């Protein structure tokens, strides 16, 4: 397995977020991004997870709720990658994939766009 500290991985996630165009990040609302070492036991190969209410599903009722949560998982990413460059690329794909869910884009569309 490729070695990378949690701090290094968190920095890659931050860099991936920084590469999202500002006109999109300005639209992100009530969402927090986290890094965890491992995903839930029932899905050990999960690279990222979006939990919340996509922007496209929010209505007038949406107020006073906890932030949506995007979690990027370090362990499975490092296990599937062979080099640091692979980790950088996979982290960027995963971050974009989960942010896209925040915007209401489903897995089928993301796979078609190459963010599967």
């Amino acid at each position: 397995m490729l070695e990378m500290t949690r701090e290094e991985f968190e920095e890659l996630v931050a860099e991936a977020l920084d590469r999202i165009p500002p006109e999109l990040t300005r639209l992100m609302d009530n969402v927090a991004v986290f890094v965890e070492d491992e995903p839930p036991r029932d899905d050990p190969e999960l690279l990222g997870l979006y939990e919340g209410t996509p922007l496209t599903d929010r209505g007038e009722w949406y107020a006073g709720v906890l932030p949506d949560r995007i979690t990027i998982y370090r362990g499975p990413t490092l296990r599937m990658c062979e080099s640091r460059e692979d980790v950088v690329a996979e982290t960027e794909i995963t971050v974009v994939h989960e942010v896209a869910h925040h915007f209401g884009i489903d897995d089928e569309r993301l796979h078609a766009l190459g963010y599967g």
Side-chain angles (χ1 to χ4, degrees):
M1 181 171 101
L2 189 65
E3 294 293 324
M4 181 177 289
T5 67
R6 183 171 177 137
E7 291 77 19
E8 289 174 306
F9 190 78
E10 287 174 349
E11 183 62 31
L12 292 181
V13 170
E15 290 170 4
L17 285 166
D18 287 344
R19 284 191 288 279
I20 295 173
E23 54 271 15
L24 291 179
T25 57
R26 279 193 292 272
L27 297 174
M28 292 174 66
D29 181 48
N30 200 32
V31 61
V33 179
F34 299 91
V35 170
E36 298 289 340
D37 289 329
E38 294 297 333
R41 289 185 186 156
D42 63 337
D43 200 354
E45 296 180 12
L46 186 67
L47 302 179
L49 180 66
Y50 170 75
E51 299 169 286
T53 303
L55 294 175
T56 54
D57 293 344
R58 296 179 185 180
E60 292 181 21
W61 60 269
Y62 188 86
V65 299
L66 292 173
D68 291 2
R69 182 181 178 99
I70 292 173
T71 307
I72 308 299
Y73 298 106
R74 182 174 72 99
T77 304
L78 295 180
R79 286 191 291 275
M80 74 175 286
C81 293
E82 295 181 12
S83 68
R84 180 176 173 80
E85 292 77 22
D86 291 345
V87 174
V88 170
E90 192 59 51
T91 301
E92 185 165 335
I93 288 169
T94 303
V95 167
V96 168
H97 181 106
E98 301 310 329
V99 167
H101 285 318
H102 176 68
F103 284 100
I105 302 171
D106 65 17
D107 280 331
E108 184 178 327
R109 181 69 177 133
L110 286 167
H111 285 275
L113 293 170
Y115 291 98

